[in-house]
Structure formats: C-alpha cells, structure tokens
Amino acid sequence: MFEWMAWTTPVAVFFSCIALMLFGMTLWEIKSPTVMRRGFLPIATTRGDRLFIGLLSAAYINLIFVGLSGRLMDWLSLEAEPSIWISFVISMGALALIMRKG
C-alpha cells in the first residue's frame, strides 16, 4: 500500500511527531479548553488553528528544502546533498514559533 512513498528515518520521525502532537493537543484540549487570541498571525486563532497553520508551514518548508537540496549542493559546492534533518529541525522550529507566538 505504501510502496510508492520513500519511508526514510526522517520521514518516519516527521510523521511520528505529527501523530504525537495531535494526540497531545487532544489531551490538552480536553484538560484545558482553548480561547481565541491574537499573535503575529493576522487573525485570532485557537491552539488547533495554530497547530494546523504550523503543520502546513512545516510541510512546505520540507518540500521546499527537498526541491532545492540539489541546487544547494551546486551553489554551496557540497560533495553530497544536505541532510534532510536540516529541514526537519527548521520546520519544527517554525512550528514551535507559530504555536507559541502565532
């Protein structure tokens, strides 16, 4: 069923983190219902809204990195493509920023 997908360790870790976040957010919402607030995002959001926006941002960061990794190798004169772990760390940082300050 999933033969078409490249299940590498970073991909598995990324999707595992998403599943854990969804589970954690569900428990958090049950324990402490959310309230709307405004951060740097131009709309009032709840925790769930910020998680959704953050996950979309993280996915796009990873896709952009994968798309540009070959060019980065040429531009920076690297011997091999940069590690996908770089985009994982950047995307999780962006997600944390959106969740905290968004």
Side-chain angles (χ1 to χ4, degrees), residues 39-82:
F40 67 82
L41 295 172
I43 56 175
T45 58
T46 64
R47 283 189 298 253
D49 297 335
R50 290 188 300 276
L51 178 65
F52 180 72
I53 293 167
L55 288 174
L56 281 176
S57 301
Y60 283 119
I61 288 168
N62 280 300
L63 287 172
I64 290 167
F65 186 84
V66 167
L68 291 177
S69 62
R71 292 209 172 129
L72 285 173
M73 187 175 76
D74 293 338
W75 293 337
L76 301 175
S77 302
L78 302 173
E79 294 179 16
E81 288 187 358

Side-chain angles (χ1 to χ4, degrees), residues 23-35 46-48:
F23 180 74
M25 288 291 288
T26 301
L27 293 178
W28 191 7
E29 186 66 27
I30 291 170
K31 184 173 177 137
S32 170
T34 189
V35 294
T46 64
R47 283 189 298 253

